[in-house]
Amino acid sequence: MHQAILTCSLTDTASVGTILPPVASSVRQARALTRSELASRGLTDHEGTAELLVSELVTNALRYAACAVRLSLSFRGDTLHCEVEDTSLGPSVVRGAREEDESGRGLLLVQELARAWGRRDSRVGKVVWFELGL
């Protein structure tokens, strides 16, 4: 079970965050948190896309960093802003997967479906983020 932390600011932004352990079930927890937050705001029309994108970022972080990751969801007006932070300093590379490849499409999906996305260094590693129009 994830431990969610809810914060609100004076700028009409609500954020929820959690630390996910380095286990496969954390991806399911990330999707459940995303689904729950969207439902609580009446934004279920965007549930599938948001869950997919969150799932891809969390999966990448868990696979390549092999450590606990921090997931943060922020709602700013008509935009969902998602951040996944891990301790890896490795690059976040969009790569083309061959038809027979079982992986390698995650960031390509994020690039195609998100309004914007990117990577930045953090104090402990890197943050990969996306914005989804709601």
Side-chain angles (χ1 to χ4, degrees):
M1 180 170 232
H2 64 272
Q3 179 182 16
I5 306 156
L6 180 65
T7 59
C8 293
S9 73
L10 299 175
T11 60
D12 232 8
T13 301
S15 299
V16 63
T18 190
I19 304 297
L20 299 166
V23 295
S25 62
S26 288
V27 177
R28 182 174 58 245
Q29 292 174 345
R31 286 193 304 262
L33 178 62
T34 303
R35 189 172 44 254
S36 171
E37 290 302 312
L38 288 168
S40 73
R41 291 166 173 77
L43 300 169
T44 56
D45 291 349
H46 305 282
E47 202 171 84
T49 303
E51 281 186 74
L52 174 64
L53 299 183
V54 167
S55 177
E56 293 300 336
L57 292 192
V58 170
T59 297
N60 279 352
L62 293 173
R63 176 176 290 152
Y64 297 111
C67 65
V69 301
R70 182 186 59 81
L71 168 65
S72 175
L73 303 173
S74 300
F75 296 86
R76 303 171 183 164
D78 69 344
T79 302
L80 165 63
H81 182 86
C82 170
E83 294 188 349
V84 176
E85 181 178 19
D86 64 51
T87 59
S88 168
L89 295 174
S92 301
V93 179
V94 176
R95 56 187 177 111
R98 297 178 306 229
E99 188 173 318
E100 65 272 9
D101 289 344
E102 292 185 21
S103 64
R105 294 172 184 83
L107 290 178
L108 181 61
L109 286 171
V110 173
Q111 177 179 301
E112 292 299 316
L113 298 174
R115 178 185 288 170
W117 80 281
R119 176 204 185 277
R120 70 175 186 275
D121 293 337
S122 73
R123 222 173 10 92
V124 297
K126 73 173 179 300
V127 174
V128 181
W129 60 270
F130 72 82
E131 290 184 348
L132 182 63
L134 303 173

